[in-house]
Amino acid sequence: MNRHLIILLILLLHNLWGGYGQVSYMPADPAVIELKTLYLESGRVFPTGSFPLDRRDLHRLALKIKEQALSSEARERVEEFLEELSFNREGIRLGSDVKLTYEQYLRTDEKWEDYYRLFFEPEPALCIDLYYTQDGLAVIDISGSWRREYDGFSSNNFFAFKPGNPFAQENQFLQKGYFRYFFGPLEMELGRNKVHYGPSRYSSLLLSQRLPFLDALRLRLPIGPLVLTSLVSTL
């Protein structure tokens, strides 16, 4: 037990000193929102609705809008984005992200009938993400989360104390575990990850990021202004 606590402490200290950024980006991530804003301010439509995006995708899309910037101020903002992204094909990155979350919920006396509030799913109390990446070549990413066992509306997202099981949790601990590799312009991803198809940040008529994860083989190939996406999975 002490060994596990030491490992967790090392990961927390690592994140206090700063990590190396994400390796997989969804529509609601700050970097994607910022890049979409740069496109809108330049009078352009964000050219893809196929997620997740890789750091290479963000770098490529930022360079594209930099060439089409309408003013020197817009070009400077794109340069700041690229500098913060720090895309580097030569560097190898090893990183970890640890997120601890505590939430307390208050429920009114109102009789809720809608599904979303009646079956409210609390946030995970602990998320750990470990990754290896070489920009533009390969990514290995594995992520797990501790989420309390669902037992109706809970007062918080921490422990579900039950007789004989004081730390009752959901069984789906592994949220991500995939290998991504680039064969030139072709991107291949195999394993478990979130997916989202469509321009909306929150929902979609197709597969959306509201799915906890999807085990799949995914191929993406940009061809000029088009991005071809192929997804093979079982539901």
Side-chain angles (χ1 to χ4, degrees), residues 39 44-49 60-61 64 68 220-228:
Y39 266 82
R44 307 284 180 174
V45 176
F46 194 67
T48 182
R60 174 176 58 85
L61 294 174
K64 183 177 180 181
Q68 303 171 350
R220 294 178 74 247
L221 178 64
I223 302 179
L226 303 177
V227 177
L228 304 182

Side-chain angles (χ1 to χ4, degrees), residues 24-27 51-53 147 175-178 180 189 191-197 207-215 218 231:
S24 192
Y25 296 83
M26 299 299 288
F51 295 89
L53 297 178
R147 187 190 299 271
Q175 300 296 308
K176 286 194 299 184
Y178 64 87
R180 182 186 298 157
E189 181 179 295
R192 173 173 294 184
N193 200 2
K194 281 181 170 290
V195 295
H196 183 94
Y197 296 123
L207 296 173
S208 80
Q209 60 185 343
R210 289 189 176 274
L211 286 172
F213 50 76
L214 192 67
D215 298 328
R218 186 172 63 90
L231 182 74

Side-chain angles (χ1 to χ4, degrees), residues 9-227:
L9 180 60
I10 291 173
L11 292 175
L12 287 171
L13 290 174
H14 175 272
N15 284 274
L16 289 176
W17 289 323
Y20 293 100
Q22 293 176 255
V23 293
S24 192
Y25 296 83
M26 299 299 288
D29 287 329
V32 176
I33 295 174
E34 183 178 355
L35 189 55
K36 281 187 175 182
T37 301
L38 293 173
Y39 266 82
L40 290 174
E41 291 178 350
S42 299
R44 307 284 180 174
V45 176
F46 194 67
T48 182
S50 174
F51 295 89
L53 297 178
D54 186 80
R55 290 168 54 84
R56 187 184 76 161
D57 297 313
L58 297 186
H59 183 257
R60 174 176 58 85
L61 294 174
L63 289 178
K64 183 177 180 181
I65 196 62
K66 179 182 177 181
E67 297 173 355
Q68 303 171 350
L70 301 179
S71 65
S72 58
E73 181 181 354
R75 191 174 294 106
E76 288 177 1
R77 290 187 59 192
V78 178
E79 290 175 352
E80 291 175 0
F81 176 87
L82 287 168
E83 184 178 353
E84 185 175 353
L85 183 65
S86 64
F87 182 83
N88 181 11
R89 294 182 182 274
E90 303 300 326
I92 294 177
R93 302 172 184 267
L94 294 172
S96 65
D97 290 319
V98 179
K99 181 181 178 182
L100 292 170
T101 304
Y102 178 80
E103 294 182 348
Q104 185 73 30
Y105 311 118
L106 300 176
R107 186 168 190 172
T108 66
D109 295 331
E110 177 187 358
K111 293 183 178 180
W112 293 342
E113 296 181 355
D114 58 289
Y115 180 86
Y116 182 75
R117 290 191 293 180
L118 191 61
F119 298 96
F120 177 76
E121 185 177 25
E123 286 292 315
L126 173 64
C127 295
I128 301 177
D129 191 1
L130 306 173
Y131 54 85
Y132 158 91
T133 177
Q134 182 173 354
D135 287 342
L137 179 63
V139 175
I140 299 175
D141 187 11
I142 184 168
S143 174
S145 65
W146 185 92
R147 187 190 299 271
R148 69 173 290 157
E149 185 176 87
Y150 180 78
D151 55 354
F153 187 85
S154 307
S155 59
N156 59 66
N157 70 321
F158 215 46
F159 298 124
F161 296 102
K162 295 184 177 181
N165 189 8
F167 305 105
Q169 63 175 337
E170 294 291 342
N171 293 325
Q172 295 175 341
F173 178 79
L174 186 63
Q175 300 296 308
K176 286 194 299 184
Y178 64 87
F179 172 67
R180 182 186 298 157
Y181 196 84
F182 295 94
F183 301 90
L186 176 65
E187 173 188 341
M188 181 199 75
E189 181 179 295
L190 177 64
R192 173 173 294 184
N193 200 2
K194 281 181 170 290
V195 295
H196 183 94
Y197 296 123
S200 173
R201 186 189 305 177
Y202 302 106
S203 60
S204 174
L205 295 177
L206 302 173
L207 296 173
S208 80
Q209 60 185 343
R210 289 189 176 274
L211 286 172
F213 50 76
L214 192 67
D215 298 328
L217 169 64
R218 186 172 63 90
L219 303 173
R220 294 178 74 247
L221 178 64
I223 302 179
L226 303 177
V227 177

